[in-house]
Amino acid sequence: MHICFLTNEFPKPGIAHGGVGTFIRNLSLELVKFDIKVSIVGTNYINVEEYENLHGINIYRTKKHNLKGLIWYNRAKSINQKIAEIHQKDPISIVEGTELALAFVNKIPEVKYLIRMNGGHHFFSNAENKKTNPWKSIQEKLSFKKADHVISVSKYTAESTRDLLKLGDISIHIIPNPIDVDLFKPADPKAVVKNKLLFVGTICEKKGVRQLVMAMPKILQAFPDAQLEIVGREWIDPNSDISFTEYLKTFITPESKDHITITGPVDLVKIPEKIASSEICVYPSHMEALPLAWLEVLASAKAFVGSISGPGPEVVKHGETGLLADCYDPDDIANHVIDLLANKEKALELGRNARKDVLERFDVKVLVKKNIDYYRSIAS
């Protein structure tokens, strides 16, 4: 079997990437252990074509195109040429991508085309109460028309997207995102910095980081020595070119200014260290498809405050493996954080329960078998 993933986000040293890229990396590393061939095809960050083999994974990055007005056409042309070239040398069984990925893919008759929902344009536009972009809307609808099969990483994402795109009664198979429990694991308790809070994620509105910053004054009233570290890549508003980080700083009050550090992006291999040094991780996202960053914390047996919105309850069992707050309410976020800082044993117990739950439901070694079984069922 030969799986070809379409993504521009496969991790590359020194380049910030999202959860989808991490997920594909985790799954691909396991697939090749079962003698399944894996190719990654996506657009490079620079105007150069590159090839890399990572532990048996063939990674093809086509050169970036900058010709205004024809970027989408030239990128699609390069991607299609690369897929055809790979298929000619080593026949592909399945081409897989996210919600918009198949829009301009030229289908090869003997190949199956699969969408894995990770939260598409309609999904997040609806969650943020924004109008859909007409061009992206067309791409997403076209992409689903080309899909032979559909997977979703959560039930919430599946049913929300079904309603938004009017997908009817098509079959949507649910397979959660997997986590590398060997990379993210319990660390030495001595590494913990007392009353340190951590946020990891893209620094943008939908991740809830603004509400977390607004919660800090109340947290500091209860715990004056609390510190918050914000780790993640920058987001620039495409309409105004305004940095969200600069916007975020306007919500940092004078009393909390010396208690908040904005670190920026770090490599994936350094995230476990950041989690290990923190007493509580707080990721109050407004919406997620199924947040890999949450699983990284839970697998690390760390106390966690997430969001009750969307698929939050599918990931975190409130009061058992973590706490779920109202992501739009800074007071509610603060109350949950204060609860855990004030009850150290409760925080430790939640962390232990979280690790156990992740091993049962989200371990990549468990989920790789579910993915392989599904691949075989649709490829035959």
Side-chain angles (χ1 to χ4, degrees), residues 179-192:
I179 182 72
D180 183 347
V181 297
D182 294 324
L183 177 60
F184 293 93
K185 57 188 176 183
D188 186 343
K190 295 178 182 178
V192 174

PDB file of all heavy atoms in Angstrom, residues 179-192:
ATOM      1  N   ILE A 179      -1.248  10.768  19.133  1.00  0.00           N
ATOM      2  CA  ILE A 179      -0.178  11.499  19.809  1.00  0.00           C
ATOM      3  C   ILE A 179       0.990  10.552  20.075  1.00  0.00           C
ATOM      4  O   ILE A 179       0.790   9.366  20.368  1.00  0.00           O
ATOM      5  CB  ILE A 179      -0.699  12.115  21.134  1.00  0.00           C
ATOM      6  CG1 ILE A 179       0.389  12.926  21.846  1.00  0.00           C
ATOM      7  CG2 ILE A 179      -1.238  11.045  22.063  1.00  0.00           C
ATOM      8  CD1 ILE A 179       0.711  14.212  21.155  1.00  0.00           C
ATOM      9  N   ASP A 180       2.191  11.065  19.967  1.00  0.00           N
ATOM     10  CA  ASP A 180       3.399  10.297  20.260  1.00  0.00           C
ATOM     11  C   ASP A 180       3.621  10.314  21.771  1.00  0.00           C
ATOM     12  O   ASP A 180       4.123  11.294  22.325  1.00  0.00           O
ATOM     13  CB  ASP A 180       4.592  10.917  19.534  1.00  0.00           C
ATOM     14  CG  ASP A 180       5.887  10.131  19.722  1.00  0.00           C
ATOM     15  OD1 ASP A 180       5.932   9.258  20.606  1.00  0.00           O
ATOM     16  OD2 ASP A 180       6.857  10.407  18.991  1.00  0.00           O
ATOM     17  N   VAL A 181       3.223   9.245  22.439  1.00  0.00           N
ATOM     18  CA  VAL A 181       3.292   9.203  23.900  1.00  0.00           C
ATOM     19  C   VAL A 181       4.709   8.928  24.408  1.00  0.00           C
ATOM     20  O   VAL A 181       4.952   8.953  25.621  1.00  0.00           O
ATOM     21  CB  VAL A 181       2.318   8.150  24.480  1.00  0.00           C
ATOM     22  CG1 VAL A 181       0.881   8.501  24.144  1.00  0.00           C
ATOM     23  CG2 VAL A 181       2.667   6.751  23.980  1.00  0.00           C
ATOM     24  N   ASP A 182       5.632   8.657  23.502  1.00  0.00           N
ATOM     25  CA  ASP A 182       7.031   8.507  23.899  1.00  0.00           C
ATOM     26  C   ASP A 182       7.739   9.860  23.913  1.00  0.00           C
ATOM     27  O   ASP A 182       8.661  10.082  24.704  1.00  0.00           O
ATOM     28  CB  ASP A 182       7.762   7.554  22.947  1.00  0.00           C
ATOM     29  CG  ASP A 182       7.229   6.133  23.041  1.00  0.00           C
ATOM     30  OD1 ASP A 182       6.865   5.712  24.162  1.00  0.00           O
ATOM     31  OD2 ASP A 182       7.148   5.452  21.996  1.00  0.00           O
ATOM     32  N   LEU A 183       7.282  10.773  23.036  1.00  0.00           N
ATOM     33  CA  LEU A 183       7.837  12.126  23.031  1.00  0.00           C
ATOM     34  C   LEU A 183       7.192  12.960  24.132  1.00  0.00           C
ATOM     35  O   LEU A 183       7.861  13.716  24.837  1.00  0.00           O
ATOM     36  CB  LEU A 183       7.598  12.783  21.664  1.00  0.00           C
ATOM     37  CG  LEU A 183       8.053  14.237  21.509  1.00  0.00           C
ATOM     38  CD1 LEU A 183       9.558  14.368  21.748  1.00  0.00           C
ATOM     39  CD2 LEU A 183       7.703  14.758  20.110  1.00  0.00           C
ATOM     40  N   PHE A 184       5.882  12.807  24.269  1.00  0.00           N
ATOM     41  CA  PHE A 184       5.160  13.549  25.302  1.00  0.00           C
ATOM     42  C   PHE A 184       4.807  12.583  26.426  1.00  0.00           C
ATOM     43  O   PHE A 184       3.931  11.733  26.279  1.00  0.00           O
ATOM     44  CB  PHE A 184       3.910  14.198  24.707  1.00  0.00           C
ATOM     45  CG  PHE A 184       4.222  15.285  23.723  1.00  0.00           C
ATOM     46  CD1 PHE A 184       4.304  14.996  22.365  1.00  0.00           C
ATOM     47  CD2 PHE A 184       4.492  16.571  24.147  1.00  0.00           C
ATOM     48  CE1 PHE A 184       4.621  15.994  21.452  1.00  0.00           C
ATOM     49  CE2 PHE A 184       4.817  17.572  23.246  1.00  0.00           C
ATOM     50  CZ  PHE A 184       4.883  17.282  21.893  1.00  0.00           C
ATOM     51  N   LYS A 185       5.524  12.714  27.528  1.00  0.00           N
ATOM     52  CA  LYS A 185       5.387  11.777  28.640  1.00  0.00           C
ATOM     53  C   LYS A 185       5.660  12.517  29.945  1.00  0.00           C
ATOM     54  O   LYS A 185       6.213  13.633  29.942  1.00  0.00           O
ATOM     55  CB  LYS A 185       6.355  10.609  28.463  1.00  0.00           C
ATOM     56  CG  LYS A 185       7.822  11.033  28.341  1.00  0.00           C
ATOM     57  CD  LYS A 185       8.705   9.844  27.972  1.00  0.00           C
ATOM     58  CE  LYS A 185      10.150  10.296  27.766  1.00  0.00           C
ATOM     59  NZ  LYS A 185      11.017   9.171  27.344  1.00  0.00           N
ATOM     60  N   PRO A 186       5.294  11.927  31.076  1.00  0.00           N
ATOM     61  CA  PRO A 186       5.535  12.589  32.364  1.00  0.00           C
ATOM     62  C   PRO A 186       7.013  12.893  32.563  1.00  0.00           C
ATOM     63  O   PRO A 186       7.880  12.079  32.258  1.00  0.00           O
ATOM     64  CB  PRO A 186       5.033  11.555  33.382  1.00  0.00           C
ATOM     65  CG  PRO A 186       4.031  10.740  32.629  1.00  0.00           C
ATOM     66  CD  PRO A 186       4.558  10.659  31.216  1.00  0.00           C
ATOM     67  N   ALA A 187       7.272  14.089  33.074  1.00  0.00           N
ATOM     68  CA  ALA A 187       8.651  14.527  33.286  1.00  0.00           C
ATOM     69  C   ALA A 187       8.972  14.550  34.777  1.00  0.00           C
ATOM     70  O   ALA A 187       8.104  14.348  35.628  1.00  0.00           O
ATOM     71  CB  ALA A 187       8.853  15.914  32.672  1.00  0.00           C
ATOM     72  N   ASP A 188      10.218  14.796  35.085  1.00  0.00           N
ATOM     73  CA  ASP A 188      10.665  14.899  36.475  1.00  0.00           C
ATOM     74  C   ASP A 188       9.930  16.056  37.154  1.00  0.00           C
ATOM     75  O   ASP A 188       9.994  17.202  36.677  1.00  0.00           O
ATOM     76  CB  ASP A 188      12.174  15.160  36.488  1.00  0.00           C
ATOM     77  CG  ASP A 188      12.760  15.131  37.897  1.00  0.00           C
ATOM     78  OD1 ASP A 188      11.985  15.235  38.874  1.00  0.00           O
ATOM     79  OD2 ASP A 188      13.988  15.030  38.017  1.00  0.00           O
ATOM     80  N   PRO A 189       9.231  15.816  38.252  1.00  0.00           N
ATOM     81  CA  PRO A 189       8.519  16.886  38.962  1.00  0.00           C
ATOM     82  C   PRO A 189       9.418  18.052  39.362  1.00  0.00           C
ATOM     83  O   PRO A 189       8.941  19.181  39.535  1.00  0.00           O
ATOM     84  CB  PRO A 189       7.962  16.170  40.204  1.00  0.00           C
ATOM     85  CG  PRO A 189       7.875  14.732  39.810  1.00  0.00           C
ATOM     86  CD  PRO A 189       9.037  14.503  38.894  1.00  0.00           C
ATOM     87  N   LYS A 190      10.711  17.782  39.486  1.00  0.00           N
ATOM     88  CA  LYS A 190      11.643  18.849  39.862  1.00  0.00           C
ATOM     89  C   LYS A 190      11.772  19.911  38.778  1.00  0.00           C
ATOM     90  O   LYS A 190      12.268  21.013  39.039  1.00  0.00           O
ATOM     91  CB  LYS A 190      13.021  18.255  40.161  1.00  0.00           C
ATOM     92  CG  LYS A 190      13.052  17.340  41.383  1.00  0.00           C
ATOM     93  CD  LYS A 190      14.441  16.758  41.589  1.00  0.00           C
ATOM     94  CE  LYS A 190      14.464  15.800  42.791  1.00  0.00           C
ATOM     95  NZ  LYS A 190      15.811  15.192  42.968  1.00  0.00           N
ATOM     96  N   ALA A 191      11.325  19.568  37.550  1.00  0.00           N
ATOM     97  CA  ALA A 191      11.419  20.530  36.444  1.00  0.00           C
ATOM     98  C   ALA A 191      10.354  21.623  36.538  1.00  0.00           C
ATOM     99  O   ALA A 191      10.462  22.662  35.884  1.00  0.00           O
ATOM    100  CB  ALA A 191      11.280  19.800  35.107  1.00  0.00           C
ATOM    101  N   VAL A 192       9.330  21.401  37.367  1.00  0.00           N
ATOM    102  CA  VAL A 192       8.197  22.331  37.443  1.00  0.00           C
ATOM    103  C   VAL A 192       8.605  23.637  38.125  1.00  0.00           C
ATOM    104  O   VAL A 192       9.222  23.646  39.188  1.00  0.00           O
ATOM    105  CB  VAL A 192       7.026  21.695  38.218  1.00  0.00           C
ATOM    106  CG1 VAL A 192       5.900  22.713  38.414  1.00  0.00           C
ATOM    107  CG2 VAL A 192       6.510  20.470  37.487  1.00  0.00           C
TER     108      VAL A 192
END
